[in-house]
Amino acid sequence: MTAPREQFGSRLGFILAAAGSAVGIGNLVGFPVNAAKNGGAAFLFIYALFVFLICLPVMMAELAAGRNSQKNPLGTYRFFANGHKLWPIAGWLALITPFMIAVFYGVITLWVLGYLFAILGGNLQELADPDYFGEFINSGQVYALLALIAAIVGVILKFGVKDGIERAAKIMMPSLFVLLLGLVIFVLTLDNAVAGLRFYLIPDFSKIDASVINGAMGQAFFSLSLGMGILITYGSYMNRGASISGSAKLVALTDTAVAFTAGLMILPAIFAFNPDIDTEELSSSSVALIFTFLPKIFLAMEGVAGYTGASAVAAIFFLLVFFAALTSLVSIIEVPVSGVMDQMCYSRKKALLIVGLGIALFALVCALSFGIVEFFTHFLHYGGADKSVFDLVVDVFYDTILPLNGFLICIMVSYRWKKSNFDRELEQGAPDYKGSLLERYTNLALGTFIPVILLLVFINTVLTKFFGVNLI
Ligand code: TRP
């Protein structure tokens, strides 16, 4: 007899854990800058449409499939495959993808922690130097930081779903909201903040073209933790009495609200200290923004807040980003951990040790691929450029495979598991779901245009990334 499956302790706990997974670096930095560059409120409008019309049904499909099968993603696909030979391949993809995302996200998280320590040590001035980032990522510090991140995530996951993941989210998410609001209020008091707000909020529909729409779709999909196996796994820990549709709506809303609110902090801060900036100059890479651009902005606050004040604001910001990244990292590592626990019948401790060592090893290879080891640095050449192992992992698993995984879950739920069973699972804990508009919409969309859109995004990404062909 195996022990009963672990469960989240409360509805709020589940929502905070799932929102903690969804809220990450992309929300805090990527979304605001993309919005400012691509039409302000017009971008927000399109983004929100994608979140609710395309992403929400996929989110519900993942949660319902996991809760019904009571298994990790591989187990879930096997459960519904019912002997069919090909579906378990999709299950493997849904297990390998989170493993590899954990690898590169772990590297980014350790950089954030390294910056936080540097600021607390009084080194904001150095961080603002354009050469600092390149030196930092190739310094000996990264090994110690990697070990520290592994230890923190390890301790959280060792305590399991309720006492580990849920408890960590219940502490970190409210702290994140408070820190974010505090920074917004501070930044809005600065001179020129209004210029940033204007850029962020005034809609400019003329900026909306096919590539902006594609970008908004990608951003929404990634931001909500879709296609990563996370929501299948978290679904398997959900109580049968909880409403999947109600919780999913709240998670989507929280994620969007945090992304929107982060813009109220980032853009006014940028404009207050660089009133003449042209938003086109802002890099579209969240990594470049966080590690090279924002430290300069924080340092520029010295004039109004003094060096200590500027360092305090920077430290709060990096702590915020660290919480956001850590809750995402925890959620994604739980996927392979639950996979190994279920499939091999290992204890949580043993599964955690195996998965943790594997991820740390790959993360080390990524961390060495910025110049320390030449072979990993110029690992492959495709799409017109030399790529490091880190680039390869991001391109393949973060940018390319996610929409494919999303496509597969839509098809599996609609045509393999069948809509009537899907509906029955969703109605459990949510009697008002039956016959609702959301139910009718989800049933229609999940088997028709949502998978078509996801497949198109996948094909377009493959062509652009790996063959240098741009369809749109
Ligand atoms: N929302 C995250 C971000 O903005 C993306 C993300 C969602 C993620 N789930 C994740 C990243 C899990 C890593 C692990 O960065």
Side-chain angles (χ1 to χ4, degrees):
M1 226 0 244
T2 46
R5 196 168 186 80
E6 295 176 70
Q7 280 203 345
F8 285 107
S10 67
R11 177 174 144 95
L12 179 69
F14 165 78
I15 290 170
L16 288 178
S21 167
V23 171
I25 294 169
N27 299 63
L28 296 177
V29 189
F31 174 85
V33 170
N34 268 331
K37 283 175 133 176
N38 296 321
F43 183 88
L44 175 67
F45 175 71
I46 292 178
Y47 178 85
L49 277 185
F50 279 134
V51 166
F52 288 96
L53 296 181
I54 310 286
C55 297
L56 184 64
V58 181
M59 190 185 238
M60 286 163 35
E62 291 201 16
L63 289 170
R67 189 170 75 174
N68 190 270
S69 73
Q70 290 286 297
K71 294 199 170 55
N72 70 90
L74 175 59
T76 299
Y77 275 100
R78 285 209 174 129
F79 180 77
F80 292 118
N82 217 345
H84 192 286
K85 293 269 182 313
L86 291 179
W87 277 114
I89 300 178
W92 279 106
L93 261 187
L95 216 53
I96 295 169
T97 307
F99 183 91
M100 294 310 284
I101 291 180
V103 165
F104 86 83
Y105 213 76
V107 174
I108 297 182
T109 310
L110 79 83
W111 292 342
V112 173
L113 190 60
Y115 267 50
L116 177 60
F117 286 151
I119 295 166
L120 292 175
N123 293 331
L124 180 60
Q125 180 99 44
E126 283 76 16
L127 299 195
D129 178 338
D131 294 332
Y132 184 88
F133 182 61
E135 286 161 22
F136 165 73
I137 61 178
N138 286 324
S139 71
Q141 286 183 42
V142 294
Y143 308 106
L145 290 164
L146 181 61
L148 184 57
I149 296 281
I152 297 173
V153 174
V155 167
I156 295 177
L157 286 181
K158 153 115 201 350
F159 280 98
V161 176
K162 187 161 165 257
D163 297 328
I165 300 175
E166 183 171 338
R167 185 145 50 128
K170 277 185 167 165
I171 298 169
M172 282 192 270
M173 291 309 286
S175 321
L176 184 148
F177 299 141
V178 172
L179 296 179
L180 180 62
L181 284 180
L183 283 181
V184 169
I185 293 170
F186 168 72
V187 163
L188 289 180
T189 61
L190 299 170
D191 289 345
N192 263 324
V194 177
L197 280 188
R198 207 174 291 141
F199 225 99
Y200 181 42
L201 296 177
I202 293 183
D204 179 358
F205 279 94
S206 70
K207 289 253 177 75
I208 304 295
D209 58 16
S211 95
V212 171
I213 293 180
N214 189 35
M217 171 69 209
Q219 174 103 29
F221 195 80
F222 302 147
S223 187
L224 290 172
S225 290
L226 302 178
M228 304 184 183
I230 294 175
L231 295 168
I232 300 179
T233 308
Y234 276 16
S236 75
Y237 302 140
M238 255 181 124
N239 187 304
R240 280 257 148 75
S243 156
I244 289 183
S245 52
S247 305
K249 276 189 251 176
L250 277 175
V251 172
L253 199 65
T254 310
D255 186 67
T256 310
V258 170
F260 173 74
T261 311
L264 299 177
M265 152 187 86
I266 299 276
L267 293 158
I270 293 176
F271 274 84
F273 296 104
N274 280 318
D276 304 320
I277 195 161
D278 171 4
T279 45
E280 291 307 318
E281 286 169 29
L282 293 176
S283 164
S284 53
S285 138
S286 304
V287 168
L289 283 163
I290 290 194
F291 297 107
T292 60
F293 186 71
L294 289 176
K296 273 192 271 178
I297 296 288
F298 292 125
L299 188 63
M301 291 183 183
E302 207 179 345
V304 287
Y307 190 67
T308 314
S311 300
V313 174
I316 292 175
F317 175 79
F318 275 91
L319 184 65
L320 177 75
V321 176
F322 179 63
F323 282 164
L326 192 63
T327 44
S328 299
L329 194 59
V330 162
S331 74
I332 201 135
I333 296 181
E334 173 65 11
V335 181
V337 169
S338 84
V340 171
M341 278 166 68
D342 291 352
Q343 303 304 128
M344 327 261 291
C345 293
Y346 283 172
S347 68
R348 175 169 279 277
K349 209 163 137 195
K350 193 164 168 192
L352 192 55
L353 206 64
I354 295 173
V355 170
L357 282 178
I359 292 177
L361 194 68
F362 275 91
L364 188 62
V365 171
C366 279
L368 294 174
S369 77
F370 300 100
I372 300 184
V373 176
E374 177 59 26
F375 176 66
F376 296 146
T377 308
H378 300 284
F379 192 64
L380 281 180
H381 187 95
Y382 60 83
D386 269 357
K387 303 280 184 158
S388 66
V389 175
F390 181 87
D391 296 332
L392 177 69
V393 172
V394 175
D395 284 347
V396 172
F397 291 97
Y398 202 54
D399 286 341
T400 310
I401 300 277
L402 292 188
L404 177 66
N405 288 346
F407 165 79
L408 290 169
I409 190 89
C410 292
I411 301 296
M412 203 262 306
V413 165
S414 297
Y415 299 109
R416 188 84 209 153
W417 185 22
K418 299 277 177 342
K419 286 177 189 154
S420 50
N421 298 320
F422 174 54
D423 282 344
R424 213 167 308 132
E425 184 63 48
L426 285 170
E427 282 158 17
Q428 287 219 27
D432 55 337
Y433 183 71
K434 198 181 175 78
S436 67
L437 184 63
L438 183 62
E439 176 178 60
R440 274 177 282 154
Y441 174 76
T442 302
N443 277 339
L444 169 74
L446 208 61
T448 53
F449 58 86
I450 294 181
V452 172
I453 293 175
L454 292 174
L455 194 60
L456 288 178
V457 172
F458 169 69
I459 293 172
N460 183 51
T461 315
V462 171
L463 291 177
T464 322
K465 285 261 168 211
F466 300 97
F467 299 98
V469 181
N470 225 331
L471 280 191
I472 49 174

